[in-house]
Amino acid sequence: MDNLGEAVERVRAGDAAAFQRIVDATSARLVRLAARMLGNLSDAEDVVQEAYVKAHRALMTGEFDGRANVSTWLYRIVTNQSIDATRSRKRRPQPTDTADESTSDLASAEQKLALTELEDWMSELPADQRAALVLKAVEGLTSPEIAEVLQCSEGAVEQRLVRARAALRKRSEGQ
């Protein structure tokens, strides 16, 4: 994600079209992040849409102070929205159909099965471990960047990654 500071300043000045530049530059990564955290593309798109509403409101009201990088700030909003959505989901029954639109482009049934199995394993991780792992392995963020997104220390990030990897390793050895 490129430097979006100019677009942020334009949004703050009342240029509604400038927010579209932020959306265009960040949406693919944010949807991918949410999809990996939630395991469902439809839910991910909803979470990202809600995150953009919050972000726009924060820009217009001055809540975003510009100390954080815009992309890091958006990752934080989407991560928090995804964690909230996961918690909310656990409180209400979910349909048993786990088919995901994002798997329809995969070439083979083996790939679909492997993705479904990985998603099942990831869904068993606590939300903070899953977020750290997705931000590191899928999004390629550094530990300091993840610490900023998750609002914790770098040590806590490393501990979450160690625990997540250990849980996945234990699960794979048990299969």
Side-chain angles (χ1 to χ4, degrees), residues 26-48:
T26 60
S27 64
R29 285 183 151 189
L30 295 177
V31 169
R32 183 176 61 219
L33 168 64
R36 291 290 179 223
M37 290 191 63
L38 297 167
N40 179 299
L41 184 58
S42 178
D43 289 346
E45 289 170 343
D46 291 345
V47 160
V48 171

Side-chain angles (χ1 to χ4, degrees), residues 12 54-64:
R12 286 180 172 163
K54 283 186 173 190
H56 187 269
R57 186 177 312 121
L59 289 173
M60 296 305 290
T61 62
E63 289 176 56
F64 176 67

Side-chain angles (χ1 to χ4, degrees), residues 126-144:
D128 61 339
Q129 291 177 21
R130 184 177 180 148
L133 193 60
V134 169
L135 289 166
K136 182 76 166 185
V138 178
E139 296 303 317
L141 270 62
T142 64
S143 292

